[in-house]
Amino acid sequence: MADGIQVVLESVLSSHQCQSRCEFCSQNISKYTCPRCNARYCSSTCYKSQKHRQCSELFYKECVITTLSEQEASRESKQKMLEMLRKLEEEDREANGDFVTDDLEERLGEIDLNTTDAEVIWSAMNEKEQKQFEAAVETGQIYEMIDIWVPWWTPRYDTQNRKKIEDLSEDHSVSKESNSNPVEAKEVKGQQIPSVKRNIPSLSSLMKQTKPNPNILFSCIDVLFSYAYIMRLYNGCPDDTSYQAAESLMQLSAVLSQNAVFESIESVVYNSLSVVQNSKELYSEGLSHCALLDVINLIQGHDVAQRANFTDCALSDLSRFLSRVREKVKLDINMKQKDTNLCRSLWLAKKKTEFLLAWIHSNTTVLQSVVSSVQVLHAEVTESCKQHKEETERLEKTWGGTKPPKKMPLITEM
């Protein structure tokens, strides 16, 4: 593994970003890539533009089909799915006074959700039901019926280790979510903490003639934030939609995908928040704030049983996930050039992760020195979001809606 890490060492310590024009406005330098069509764009405005509308509208349908095709639903989860779809249909009927006896449960009753093709299940729903399902995903209504995963690094937990999804308020205090005391594994009862990879090479064996760039510290923050965010975004099960989760990870982490090098804790934190905010697929203000706190908990946490830090566990878990996705892509008999490039990207990301794991293993104290800075940034971001929300509510109240009223002409022609 040391030889493989040495190959990508220079790419970890240097930045290389391809500058190309936005494919939609053709004016600004592109910063992001659409995970569906690989189009390069510069902002959320261009992503939502008319030129990209067809791709974004099909996103939710693809998510539903992918999830149904890759997950093996248990009897309980199948029943929950049927109840959820039936509830959406009943609510729409009540709202429109429509009491037709065309029951969705009857149409899906004889369909085996485990073996039936996802397109068949999707086609069993009429157009109105499909739109309702997509709207429920987009608005978050669907998540009210899903149990949320409790991260293994969380210092406070539900006794059942699972709880219903709740609205994430920006009023959470840093002092409540993260304290100065290390989080030990014994506080996370019943949760599986990932094992640390064996035979982690020493940093000196990887860098015999050079010293590591001190900015590697900020690369670790980028990868830890991305790992925590993806784990929460996919409810602790990124393997259920491994291709999509891997693409989301690469989109979120500039270190793993672009060899980015950050020069301060502020630059890496604000870059991560900016990527999330400008991505329709990734954006969630609540998850962004949680991921910042997760970085703190991961740095402070310690697994007593393994005598290892949570950061070691997290990067080991991430390395194994990247390996599984890469093997899955390689086994795909219909692998195209795009998948070949993905294999290469996943291999490089895995090697970078393993190098950062070796660095963290030898520099735990250095990493812990940035905890207070992350706490301060979290407080600033939370306060800024709160002020923005209050100002938005004030303006909407003044306007009488979400948009300002049209300007009246100052001069009227007689």
Side-chain angles (χ1 to χ4, degrees), residues 43-274:
S43 64
S44 58
T45 301
C46 286
Y47 181 89
K48 300 174 183 177
S49 65
Q50 187 68 26
K51 295 180 180 179
H52 195 241
R53 182 177 179 181
Q54 183 178 4
C55 177
S56 58
E57 284 182 344
L58 293 176
F59 172 73
Y60 290 107
K61 176 180 178 180
E62 185 178 273
C63 289
V64 173
I65 292 176
T66 302
T67 301
L68 289 175
S69 62
E70 292 190 4
Q71 287 186 337
E72 293 188 359
S74 63
R75 183 179 298 273
E76 181 181 356
S77 62
K78 287 192 294 183
Q79 187 62 31
K80 282 187 176 182
M81 178 67 73
L82 291 174
E83 291 176 357
M84 175 185 62
L85 294 173
R86 185 173 63 252
K87 181 180 178 181
L88 291 173
E89 184 180 39
E90 290 174 353
E91 289 179 353
D92 184 71
R93 288 176 180 174
E94 293 176 0
N96 296 280
D98 182 11
F99 297 98
V100 180
T101 58
D102 182 16
D103 194 353
L104 177 64
E105 185 175 6
E106 293 179 0
R107 278 180 274 134
L108 296 179
E110 298 182 358
I111 296 179
D112 187 348
L113 298 181
N114 287 331
T115 59
T116 305
D117 186 78
E119 286 286 357
V120 176
I121 300 174
W122 183 257
S123 61
M125 303 165 60
N126 58 42
E127 184 178 356
K128 181 181 292 185
E129 291 163 350
Q130 292 174 357
K131 290 182 178 180
Q132 288 175 340
F133 194 89
E134 292 171 348
V137 173
E138 185 172 4
T139 61
Q141 180 184 359
I142 194 173
Y143 302 119
E144 296 177 0
M145 311 185 81
I146 301 176
D147 290 330
I148 188 172
W149 171 75
V150 179
W152 53 265
W153 59 81
T154 306
R156 291 173 177 80
Y157 53 90
D158 187 272
T159 55
Q160 300 298 324
N161 292 324
R162 299 183 72 85
K163 61 181 180 180
K164 291 295 182 181
I165 287 181
E166 301 173 352
D167 291 334
L168 296 173
S169 171
E170 57 274 311
D171 295 332
H172 285 113
S173 170
V174 175
S175 61
K176 292 182 179 180
E177 294 291 342
S178 60
N179 49 50
S180 58
N181 297 323
V183 182
E184 295 188 354
K186 63 181 180 181
E187 296 181 0
V188 193
K189 296 180 179 179
Q191 299 192 50
Q192 185 70 32
I193 298 178
S195 60
V196 178
K197 289 178 68 69
R198 297 182 178 180
N199 303 322
I200 300 175
S202 63
L203 199 59
S204 58
S205 66
L206 299 177
M207 307 186 69
K208 298 179 180 179
Q209 299 179 353
T210 60
K211 293 184 179 180
N213 190 322
N215 291 335
I216 293 179
L217 166 66
F218 309 123
S219 297
C220 295
I221 300 299
D222 172 271
V223 175
L224 289 174
F225 178 93
S226 302
Y227 168 77
Y229 196 95
I230 293 302
M231 291 297 290
R232 284 188 178 271
L233 183 65
Y234 290 91
N235 209 30
C237 303
D239 286 284
D240 289 346
T241 51
S242 55
Y243 282 18
Q244 185 178 349
E247 289 179 347
S248 297
L249 175 69
M250 300 299 284
Q251 181 182 357
L252 183 56
S253 175
V255 170
L256 296 181
S257 62
Q258 304 173 26
N259 300 331
V261 175
F262 299 96
E263 297 183 353
S264 67
I265 188 66
E266 291 82 8
S267 63
V268 64
V269 168
Y270 284 118
N271 178 78
S272 297
L273 295 176
S274 176

Side-chain angles (χ1 to χ4, degrees), residues 1-2 5-6 9 12-13 199-214 216-217 220 351-364 366:
M1 184 176 71
I5 294 177
Q6 187 69 32
L9 181 57
V12 177
L13 302 177
N199 303 322
I200 300 175
S202 63
L203 199 59
S204 58
S205 66
L206 299 177
M207 307 186 69
K208 298 179 180 179
Q209 299 179 353
T210 60
K211 293 184 179 180
N213 190 322
I216 293 179
L217 166 66
C220 295
K351 292 303 177 183
K352 293 172 191 175
T353 301
E354 291 174 348
F355 172 78
L356 294 178
L357 175 59
W359 185 88
I360 287 178
H361 202 62
S362 306
N363 294 273
T364 304
V366 177

